[in-house]
Amino acid sequence: MTKRIHFPLTTAQQRRLLFETWEATGDVMLACRTAHVGRRTFYYWKPRFITGGYAALVGFASAAPKHPARTDAAIEAQIVALRTAHPTWGKRRIADELAKGNAWQRVVSPNTVARILRDHALWTATAKKNDPSDP
């Protein structure tokens, strides 16, 4: 098993120092040593610096998803309507009712139902404990 090396992301101050040093000296290696970054980092940020200047060095593209998968608004409305019409139904019963209307194909998980109900202030921890349809 090989040990994996973790390189932390560069900060905006490091990137600024990197390109200030590079502009002053013209030496890529000296700029990289001064800012404590690798040459690959320099060449990764260089096109952004050339097109946007120092302002382009402030932010970077995050690897985090921009729009995490969310349940369709129509399904959310169905869940809220079912809970409003049947306040004693729990997350499993609502998920099963939605599946029943979809030829018993699972539309959402019970935990997704609970999250949606929590978002609409229709689900609390006490409701979960006292819910007869959820064992």
Side-chain angles (χ1 to χ4, degrees), residues 20-91:
E20 284 174 349
T21 308
W22 176 65
E23 282 185 320
T25 63
D27 187 2
V28 174
M29 286 306 296
L30 176 64
C32 291
R33 275 195 308 271
T34 304
H36 301 285
V37 298
R39 278 192 346 203
R40 189 172 186 166
T41 301
F42 173 82
Y43 289 110
Y44 175 81
W45 285 97
K46 185 179 176 185
R48 296 179 193 192
F49 174 72
I50 290 172
T51 58
Y54 288 104
L57 301 177
V58 174
F60 63 93
S62 172
K66 304 299 183 276
H67 302 286
R70 295 294 289 196
T71 308
D72 188 36
I75 294 172
E76 279 194 33
Q78 282 182 317
I79 292 169
V80 170
L82 283 171
R83 179 63 176 210
T84 307
H86 307 280
T88 59
W89 284 7
K91 62 183 184 179

